Amino acid sequence: MTITAIEPAAVADRAREIHAAWQADPEIPTVLEGCALYTGEWNDFYGGPLVSEYSVTRDAQPLLQGALRVMALKSALYELTGDELLAELPVPSS
């Protein structure tokens, strides 16, 4: 199997375009507000507090914005590689 290297700048450029398109969509605030309402579905405790002031309710919007950036990067990688496995980005869940 031959894998062609993808230029990081190309991924970043395309991810910015994707992210900007999502942010420009008039429905994205409603989507993010809806996601933030389901905080009970977020598993935010793994046996010991890592951030003592963490609040899923208060921190939902910044976390969702970070998730959008990761999704834009994954989308850009998938577009450029055509391979779901190569487009995987390991990121912490919280």
Side-chain angles (χ1 to χ4, degrees), residues 2 19 21 31-32 37 45 49 56 60 63-64 68 71 91:
T2 303
H19 189 263
V31 170
L32 295 178
L37 291 175
F45 188 74
V56 72
L63 290 170
L64 289 168
L68 277 182
M71 288 175 16
V91 295

Side-chain angles (χ1 to χ4, degrees), residues 3-14:
I3 298 175
T4 303
I6 303 295
E7 288 295 322
V11 177
D13 289 344
R14 183 60 185 132

Side-chain angles (χ1 to χ4, degrees), residues 2 4 8 10 15-16 21 26 29 35-36 45-46 49 51-52 56 61 64-65 68 71 83 86 90-94:
T2 303
T4 303
R16 277 191 287 274
C35 290
F45 188 74
Y46 294 101
V51 180
S52 63
V56 72
Q61 288 305 321
L64 289 168
Q65 290 302 319
L68 277 182
M71 288 175 16
D83 187 313
L86 290 176
V91 295
S93 60
S94 63

Side-chain angles (χ1 to χ4, degrees), residues 41-94:
E41 302 298 319
W42 295 25
N43 189 355
D44 61 349
F45 188 74
Y46 294 101
L50 297 176
V51 180
S52 63
E53 300 298 319
Y54 173 73
S55 164
V56 72
T57 303
R58 181 194 63 229
D59 299 329
Q61 288 305 321
L63 290 170
L64 289 168
Q65 290 302 319
L68 277 182
R69 288 190 291 274
V70 170
M71 288 175 16
L73 281 167
K74 290 179 74 160
S75 297
L77 278 167
Y78 179 73
E79 279 187 11
L80 294 168
T81 64
D83 187 313
E84 287 183 42
L85 294 177
L86 290 176
E88 278 301 316
L89 296 173
V91 295
S93 60
S94 63

